Amino acid sequence: MLIFPYFKKIDFKILIPAILLTLFGLISLYGKPNSNNLFYFKRQFIFFIISFFFCILITFLNLQFLKSNFKLILFLYIIINILLFFVLIFGVEIRGTKTWYNFKFFSFDPIFFCQIILILLLANFFSSRHLNINQFSTILISAIYVFLPTFLVLLQPNLGSAFTLIIIWIGNLILSEMKLKYFLVLFLIGVILFSIGWFYFLKGYQKERILVFLGLKEDKYGISWNQKQSKIAIGSGKIFGKGIGNGSQTRYGFLPEAKTDFIFSAIAEETGFVGISILLFLYLFLFWQIIKISLEANYNFLKLSAGGFAFLLLGESFINIAMCLGLLPVIGIPLPFVSYGGSHLLSFYVGLGILMSLKNN
């Protein structure tokens, strides 16, 4: 009977929709009609079990010390930046980018854990300076914290993940109630930095994707092929879909990265409008439950931690789905809780565990 009080710490309103989203991804992987379908399904299922275990374990811990222990979070921040630096040297290069450490039995991408650590770092930093949020020094220091990992990620180059770090920062600034005039200044600085990044950081294929998407350049080399196939897959699903494993775009290999970047399109083709409506409802419900934690928090560290995680979830989900629909250029962002990948899945479940721990201890 002593174990039952611990389960009161679990917020099923955020845990259950996360699990259901993961099940969407697992079902889609299981239905992939190729020789590797069970391989990826089994691996993702193992990733899910491990992620769920750590989520529950962290939930039962008392992490209240994080709100007053800036040095510990800063130490973790330094470690993750060191890992981001060394992945540029020792990481495995896949399609022109170095983001992964490849070990014998598993791969590890530090950027996803950098997102969680950055959320905690900024939450701690801003919560201790909430009365000074509109001081230039506060904004500048927070920008430096964001700039370092963003710069390292751009060197990989990984434009999508760099955007997620900026989204976390903007979310914290909004929740910290920074004045509008400072947002306008930051926007102008962002335009300048993007212009610099365009010439010195973005690879040729990344520029091509953006220019073709904006209609500023003719698609001579089929750069928009992925999004065209994605939109065909989504449209062909109609109301009820073609059934799990019966999507022609996925079955015959026309839809690229059907287990990661374009898994939303694969789900849309197989389950139709009904399936993606349920998927979108789960995301909106999960986002609302997390943002409620932020709005109802009785101390700033929880408010900003939950808010930062909510903005990360919303940002990644929106960008990934918009990529699949052709509303944004392809920048390589996975769909939270759904896309194949252990590091990404584990980091999000760890994030949920931290939120539940902070909320209930």
Side-chain angles (χ1 to χ4, degrees):
M1 297 296 294
L2 294 176
I3 195 172
F4 286 104
Y6 285 96
F7 283 94
K8 293 181 180 179
K9 297 181 178 181
I10 299 175
D11 188 342
F12 289 100
K13 290 182 180 179
I14 64 174
L15 186 60
I16 289 177
I19 293 173
L20 292 176
L21 286 168
T22 304
L23 291 178
F24 255 99
L26 286 169
I27 292 171
S28 180
L29 287 172
Y30 184 80
K32 294 291 180 291
N34 58 60
S35 59
N36 291 323
N37 61 341
L38 285 180
F39 171 78
Y40 290 119
F41 171 81
K42 289 177 181 178
R43 282 179 65 91
Q44 187 72 351
F45 184 75
I46 293 171
F47 293 152
F48 167 59
I49 296 300
I50 294 172
S51 301
F52 181 79
F53 169 78
F54 276 102
C55 177
I56 299 302
L57 176 63
I58 293 170
T59 300
F60 292 160
L61 299 177
N62 187 344
L63 300 182
Q64 288 295 324
F65 66 90
L66 290 175
K67 67 181 181 181
S68 58
N69 199 328
F70 181 76
K71 290 182 179 180
L72 174 60
I73 302 175
L74 184 62
F75 173 75
L76 296 174
Y77 169 83
I78 293 171
I79 294 298
I80 204 67
N81 277 283
I82 291 173
L83 291 174
L84 286 173
F85 173 77
F86 280 109
V87 80
L88 298 171
I89 302 171
F90 301 110
V92 178
E93 185 170 334
I94 301 175
R95 296 173 186 171
T97 62
K98 281 189 174 184
T99 63
W100 299 88
Y101 287 100
N102 191 15
F103 300 101
K104 187 174 182 180
F105 298 106
F106 66 97
S107 298
F108 170 69
D109 190 343
I111 180 56
F112 300 126
F113 297 94
C114 178
Q115 293 169 340
I116 303 301
I117 293 171
L118 185 64
I119 287 171
L120 296 175
L121 182 77
L122 292 177
N124 187 297
F125 177 78
F126 283 125
S127 62
S128 64
R129 293 167 173 80
H130 63 279
L131 297 177
N132 302 316
I133 181 60
N134 291 299
Q135 289 186 359
F136 176 75
S137 59
T138 301
I139 299 172
L140 177 62
I141 294 172
S142 70
I144 293 173
Y145 286 138
V146 178
F147 173 78
L148 179 56
T150 302
F151 175 74
L152 292 172
V153 170
L154 285 173
L155 290 178
Q156 292 178 355
N158 187 345
L159 183 61
S161 294
F163 267 121
T164 64
L165 299 178
I166 296 172
I167 288 171
I168 292 168
W169 181 47
I170 292 174
N172 270 269
L173 291 174
I174 292 172
L175 291 170
S176 298
E177 301 177 4
M178 190 179 75
K179 292 181 179 178
L180 179 60
K181 63 180 181 180
Y182 292 111
F183 277 110
L184 296 175
V185 173
L186 290 176
F187 175 76
L188 293 175
I189 295 173
V191 171
I192 295 172
L193 292 176
F194 179 80
S195 301
I196 295 172
W198 180 269
F199 292 103
Y200 295 102
F201 291 100
L202 294 187
K203 297 288 187 179
Y205 70 90
Q206 292 174 317
K207 295 179 183 179
E208 291 278 347
R209 286 177 181 175
I210 296 173
L211 291 174
V212 169
F213 172 79
L214 294 174
L216 300 176
K217 194 169 185 178
E218 184 181 352
D219 190 8
K220 295 181 180 179
Y221 305 104
I223 291 172
S224 60
W225 164 267
N226 292 358
Q227 284 190 318
K228 288 179 180 177
Q229 299 306 314
S230 172
K231 288 187 283 186
I232 291 172
I234 294 171
S236 65
K238 297 183 180 179
I239 302 298
F240 298 104
K242 296 180 177 180
I244 302 299
N246 295 322
S248 56
Q249 294 299 109
T250 305
R251 174 179 289 275
Y252 299 112
F254 292 105
L255 180 65
E257 305 299 337
K259 64 182 184 296
T260 52
D261 292 353
F262 290 98
I263 196 169
F264 175 84
S265 307
I267 292 172
E269 183 180 30
E270 295 169 343
T271 64
F273 178 78
V274 173
I276 60 173
S277 294
I278 296 172
L279 189 76
L280 292 174
F281 170 78
L282 289 172
Y283 275 118
L284 290 174
F285 183 83
L286 179 57
F287 171 77
W288 174 242
Q289 292 303 317
I290 295 174
I291 207 69
K292 272 183 65 180
I293 294 175
S294 176
L295 296 175
E296 297 172 358
N298 54 11
Y299 59 98
N300 281 329
F301 182 71
L302 175 58
K303 173 185 176 181
L304 296 175
S305 296
F309 191 77
F311 271 87
L312 174 62
L313 174 70
L314 181 65
E316 284 202 358
S317 305
F318 174 80
I319 293 173
N320 178 276
I321 294 172
M323 274 184 348
C324 293
L325 293 170
L327 302 176
L328 287 176
V330 178
I331 55 175
I333 289 184
L335 191 59
F337 296 107
V338 178
S339 289
Y340 173 80
S343 297
H344 190 243
L345 190 67
L346 177 59
S347 67
F348 265 84
Y349 274 101
V350 166
L352 287 185
I354 292 172
L355 290 184
M356 289 190 287
S357 173
L358 293 175
K359 177 188 173 186
N360 297 300
N361 285 297

